[in-house]
Amino acid sequence: MTAVTAASVVVCTRNPGPRIRETVASILRGTEARFALLVVDQSDDDQVALALGDLLVDARVQHLRSATRGLSAGRNVGVTAASTEHIAFTDDDCVATPTWLADIIAPLRRDDRAAVVFGTVKPASYDPALGFLPSYSRTEPLLARSIHDKHRVEGIGASMAIRRSAWVALHGFDETLGAGGRCHSAEETDFVMRALLGGFHVHETPAAAVIHSGFRTWAQAPQVLGQYLHGIGASLTKLVRLGHWQVATVLARLAVRWTVARPVVDMGTEAHRRARLSGFLAGVRAGLAMPIDRHTGHFALPDRSTRATAVPVVAAAPAAVLPAVIADRAPGRLSRAAPASTLERVSIVVPNWNAQPFLARALEALVARTTCPYELIIVDNGSTDGSKAYIRTFLDRHPAIDATFIDNAENRFFSTACNQGFDAASPTSKYLCLYCNDVEARSDTWLQDLVDAIQPDDVIAAGLAMTKPITDRYRGVFFSYEPEYPDPSVGVRLAALLRDTNEAMHLEGHCFLLKRALLERTGLYLHTGPFAQYHSDWEWYLRFAAMGYRIASVDLQVHHWHSISELLAFHPDLYRDLLARLDDPATRERYLAEGRPMYEAESGFLSRFPTARARWVERVRRWSRRP
């Protein structure tokens, strides 16, 4: 796949026989030229590769062998391997029409809140006397905005497309559901309901069509219908147990459809209606019996072997080892501009250096407490305490997280690590968040509170902010470093601000949110190296003010244990003591309840460098005499 790839198509298959060749060939013949086709092969032998034959020579085709089982697991593998935001699905017994891919992803391009699009599934030629072909068609486009519209959405996964960032926010498909899973079906129905409950939109379009040839005999009908309703019953029961009582409207409409109305797929006999009811009740019983992972919204079975290997690409993905970053006096810049259409998604950057015990607490709290759509970017600064191994294990345990791990071979220091993370963020994310390795989210609304506060047009950042005096200690960073701004007027305005102002709004640097569109104008942190890393944030915040932007203060529900890097560098004895205290649950909870660090600042940073401090003071005096 290349940078110009517009979309990806995922076809999951298991022991399909030669029919898979026509499925792949029909997609390759389509009018949309810029796409990647991923065939996720869960077969017991090599028949898929043999059937595809020369089609594998096409650079757009990737054949992915997977040890997973089940349609949902296969789809999760395919989405993880895909590099695009828009991902379409069809089945291995379907043939795509020439414009299918272009038509199925068109609503995703138009509507930033669209998470799922369904198309038409037309039946191939068959004899109705012998059996039936599951199909679905619609005559007009449909837009569902909430769970109360779910009864109007009846699309099936044989013609479906999703937005990858929505898949990440919803933690992927529930692998208990779907063909080959414990509950047999309804993985797409479950995904749609969770998307609608999460504030996403769902579209249906009659234009995107595939031809389905998955013929079933009438003798198979009761089993097919029973399994279909089994998955729906399990999914609805799970959502009710999770507290989503809004799905009661879905249940009510299903009951009306089965008793007095015509079902969408009606086999015309009472026996088949009884099969529906029996399957649904079996699904309800299964949904009540199985444990639920309340963070992901998925069923959590005791045997997780299938899911643990469902997305092997994440676990095996090599970390990016970046070349050395030479500190300079120009602010960091976002190298990838945001597109005209961005997502209500947050790219969360977590810098780390030799703080594995605190990093573990920070990441586990983030996963448990974050409800907004997000991607995670972890930047390790050459740690030697086991942090790197922990990060890889963490990502392996959370394969559904859209994550990037930047593994620096040496310590690039705080400001450069943050800039690396911000620059690696997806350009489609509307916000960037710094979440340091020594914090712990304490509320499920911590990130949403920041997003709400940053909405005014002139607000560039939101976090725990307060007015603080501008002392010579902080001015020293600017005057000794003499930053070089792309726009010289920024330096002039900043100089005037520092001369005429003795206090300014300061953003506590352990956790805050930034507006990407405005950061493209202001630039990022200065690459200040080891010496001034603790004070370069002052220059940043004052640069915001000099350029006319505000900082919003939020009652941030994130606990900051301490500046761990400072403890490690200058107070190793206090760091060891802090770890010992954290291991005492009563002491830890007391400090969390009080909302304060375990240690206040022990001494001024500059007091440890008297020669450098004298040099800074002299530069302050010289600079202050400038006109």
Side-chain angles (χ1 to χ4, degrees):
M1 286 177 285
T2 68
V4 297
T5 301
S8 299
V9 181
V10 174
V11 178
C12 301
T13 186
R14 175 170 165 77
N15 303 327
R19 69 188 184 196
I20 185 65
R21 180 179 177 85
E22 183 54 27
T23 300
V24 171
S26 69
I27 298 170
L28 295 177
R29 290 194 298 264
T31 58
E32 179 68 55
R34 299 179 302 124
F35 69 92
L37 173 54
L38 297 91
V39 180
V40 181
D41 183 5
Q42 299 174 324
S43 301
D44 299 322
D45 51 34
D46 297 325
Q47 290 304 308
V48 170
L50 294 175
L52 294 179
D54 60 318
L55 296 181
L56 293 175
V57 178
D58 193 310
R60 294 172 293 176
V61 180
Q62 294 186 43
H63 179 211
L64 306 177
R65 293 300 303 267
S66 175
T68 62
R69 292 293 181 266
L71 182 58
S72 290
R75 285 179 173 162
N76 285 340
V77 171
V79 177
T80 303
S83 63
T84 61
E85 180 70 355
H86 302 153
I87 301 169
F89 299 93
T90 191
D91 291 344
D92 60 4
D93 54 1
C94 293
V95 173
T97 56
T99 63
W100 169 73
L101 179 55
D103 292 334
I104 197 76
I105 64 175
L108 296 174
R109 290 170 169 167
R110 294 193 305 265
D111 182 0
D112 286 344
R113 293 182 63 184
V116 186
V117 179
F118 288 111
T120 296
V121 180
K122 298 180 179 180
S125 300
Y126 71 101
D127 185 352
L130 301 178
F132 64 100
L133 266 170
S135 60
Y136 177 73
S137 63
R138 153 172 305 282
T139 58
E140 297 179 352
L142 168 72
L143 169 60
R145 293 183 173 89
S146 75
I147 191 65
H148 303 297
D149 297 326
K150 169 60 186 75
H151 67 285
R152 301 164 59 206
V153 179
E154 298 290 350
I156 56 180
S159 181
M160 178 176 69
I162 66 169
R163 187 181 301 278
R164 192 179 196 276
S165 55
W167 175 87
V168 171
L170 298 172
H171 305 283
F173 292 97
D174 188 334
E175 294 176 12
T176 307
L177 304 170
R182 178 169 175 174
C183 293
H184 311 298
S185 68
E187 79 291 343
E188 72 272 67
T189 303
D190 176 78
F191 191 85
V192 163
M193 289 192 289
R194 289 189 288 125
L196 292 171
L197 289 166
F200 292 102
H201 292 169
V202 176
H203 288 255
E204 289 194 359
T205 174
V210 299
I211 311 301
H212 185 212
S213 58
F215 181 76
R216 305 288 191 274
T217 66
W218 288 118
Q220 294 174 305
Q223 179 184 7
V224 171
L225 292 175
Q227 290 182 344
Y228 176 65
L229 270 300
H230 187 285
I232 291 178
S235 175
L236 287 169
T237 303
K238 175 185 67 174
L239 294 175
V240 170
R241 289 176 60 193
L242 288 169
H244 299 302
W245 294 100
Q246 306 96 311
V247 301
T249 60
V250 181
L251 279 167
R253 291 182 181 276
L254 277 176
V256 170
R257 182 181 295 167
W258 293 341
T259 54
V260 299
R262 179 183 177 88
V264 174
V265 181
D266 191 357
M267 302 305 171
T269 69
E270 290 300 320
H272 296 148
R273 288 178 179 261
R274 287 195 297 272
R276 284 190 180 90
L277 179 60
S278 176
F280 181 81
L281 293 177
V284 170
R285 290 193 296 271
L288 291 171
M290 290 185 292
I292 297 175
D293 183 337
R294 292 187 173 272
H295 170 61
T296 63
H298 296 184
F299 285 117
L301 296 178
D303 178 13
R304 303 287 294 204
S305 58
T306 299
R307 184 166 177 82
T309 58
V311 196
V313 177
V314 171
V321 180
L322 302 183
V325 177
I326 300 175
D328 56 46
R329 293 184 297 177
R333 305 292 296 179
L334 288 168
S335 63
R336 295 183 295 173
S341 177
T342 56
L343 305 175
E344 293 290 333
R345 184 176 76 155
V346 183
S347 295
I348 302 176
V349 176
V350 182
N352 177 69
W353 176 61
N354 284 334
Q356 185 272 324
F358 293 92
L359 177 67
R361 290 178 171 86
L363 292 179
E364 295 298 338
L366 185 151
V367 170
R369 296 287 193 177
T370 306
T371 56
C372 298
Y374 70 96
E375 70 168 336
L376 178 63
I377 302 165
I378 305 174
V379 186
D380 186 83
N381 262 337
S383 295
T384 57
D385 69 334
S387 291
K388 296 177 187 292
Y390 168 78
I391 292 168
R392 296 182 187 279
T393 302
F394 172 84
L395 296 179
D396 189 36
R397 286 192 292 107
H398 298 280
I401 295 178
D402 185 7
T404 298
F405 175 29
I406 298 177
D407 184 2
N408 289 326
E410 60 186 10
N411 189 357
R412 311 286 168 76
F413 306 104
F414 178 77
S415 58
T416 298
C418 292
N419 286 352
Q420 287 178 319
F422 293 142
D423 193 55
S426 169
T428 61
S429 293
K430 191 172 183 179
Y431 309 105
L432 305 175
C433 176
L434 181 65
Y435 181 94
C436 286
N437 62 351
D438 50 11
V439 302
E440 187 172 333
R442 300 293 294 165
S443 167
D444 291 348
T445 65
W446 75 274
L447 188 53
Q448 188 61 54
D449 292 343
L450 291 171
V451 172
D452 292 342
I454 207 172
Q455 293 308 310
D457 292 341
D458 63 338
V459 172
I460 190 172
L464 182 60
M466 62 193 72
T467 301
K468 287 187 176 183
I470 304 175
T471 66
D472 285 352
R473 172 185 177 186
Y474 296 112
R475 286 190 176 100
V477 175
F478 322 134
F479 312 148
S480 66
Y481 218 76
E482 297 181 343
E484 296 175 354
Y485 300 101
D487 181 359
S489 66
V490 174
V492 174
R493 293 196 297 269
L494 182 56
L497 178 67
L498 290 172
R499 275 198 302 266
D500 302 333
T501 307
N502 291 321
E503 62 181 20
M505 193 67 123
H506 184 275
L507 193 63
E508 294 299 316
H510 56 275
C511 182
F512 54 80
L513 189 71
L514 301 161
K515 197 175 290 181
R516 181 189 179 96
L518 298 185
L519 280 175
E520 291 177 357
R521 306 174 192 172
T522 64
L524 302 175
Y525 278 118
L526 287 170
H527 294 287
T528 52
F531 182 61
Q533 62 176 322
Y534 297 101
H535 310 301
S536 58
D537 51 357
W538 259 109
E539 184 276 342
W540 206 19
Y541 308 149
L542 291 172
R543 195 194 320 160
F544 295 165
M547 297 182 71
Y549 299 123
R550 294 191 298 117
I551 294 173
S553 184
V554 179
D555 183 16
L556 190 61
Q557 300 300 308
V558 174
H559 185 79
H560 184 211
W561 289 110
H562 200 280
S563 179
I564 297 302
S565 297
E566 185 175 358
L567 286 184
L568 281 167
F570 306 117
H571 306 283
D573 52 335
L574 293 182
Y575 177 79
R576 290 190 294 269
D577 188 31
L578 177 56
L579 285 180
R581 291 176 184 237
L582 280 175
D583 289 337
D584 177 24
T587 302
R588 179 175 179 276
E589 290 302 317
R590 176 167 61 85
Y591 279 102
L592 286 173
E594 293 173 359
R596 63 184 178 89
M598 286 198 170
Y599 297 104
E600 300 298 332
E602 293 294 320
S603 59
F605 179 78
L606 290 179
S607 64
R608 297 181 175 272
F609 301 89
T611 303
R613 184 178 185 277
R615 184 171 64 250
W616 279 18
V617 171
E618 178 58 27
R619 289 208 176 197
V620 170
R621 290 171 179 166
R622 291 202 312 269
W623 188 88
S624 62
R625 291 194 292 268
R626 296 178 181 176

